[in-house]
Amino acid sequence: MFEIESAGDGTIVLSGRLDAAQARKAQEFLDGVACPRELDCTRLEYISSAGLGVLLRTQKRVMGQGGGLRLVNVSNHIRDVFRYSGFDKIFVIESIPESG
């Protein structure tokens, strides 16, 4: 299951599995947001190459408007996917804060 929604502060919240089956839904949603800046990945469980493609297309669009996406509350597992793919060089990524 995958959900994408806008939080009250303009943050886009991603939940579940962003895979090939959900890529179109995510792209259509993000294309409908004028200039997204922050994606909250707290509840993002999985991202496939198709999901990475959605974020890359959105990043290119936002950068063309003078902005950039910031991915916040990224789990270690999802951060590894970005690192292994080299996408950690494309996005600003903030891990989930450690409690303690």
Side-chain angles (χ1 to χ4, degrees):
M1 175 119 179
F2 174 74
E3 293 295 325
I4 185 168
E5 60 189 4
S6 290
D9 63 359
T11 299
I12 306 300
V13 180
L14 305 174
S15 303
R17 299 175 57 85
L18 179 48
D19 55 20
Q22 301 299 326
R24 179 179 217 156
K25 173 183 178 177
Q27 191 69 65
E28 288 174 356
F29 183 93
L30 290 168
D31 286 349
V33 177
C35 198
R37 298 279 185 208
E38 186 171 281
L39 302 180
D40 185 337
C41 300
T42 303
R43 297 183 308 221
L44 186 64
E45 299 167 5
Y46 172 83
I47 187 165
S48 71
S49 59
L52 291 172
V54 168
L55 298 185
L56 180 60
R57 283 187 291 281
T58 303
Q59 175 75 328
K60 287 181 177 182
R61 177 175 64 88
V62 171
M63 288 180 73
Q65 299 169 347
L69 291 177
R70 190 170 70 132
L71 309 177
V72 299
N73 300 319
V74 177
S75 70
N76 289 334
H77 169 71
I78 300 295
R79 188 177 187 92
D80 286 345
V81 171
F82 280 89
R83 188 172 60 246
Y84 298 148
S85 64
F87 277 41
D88 61 332
K89 309 281 191 279
I90 299 170
F91 298 94
V92 173
I93 301 174
E94 297 178 13
S95 297
I96 295 174
E98 292 184 29
S99 59

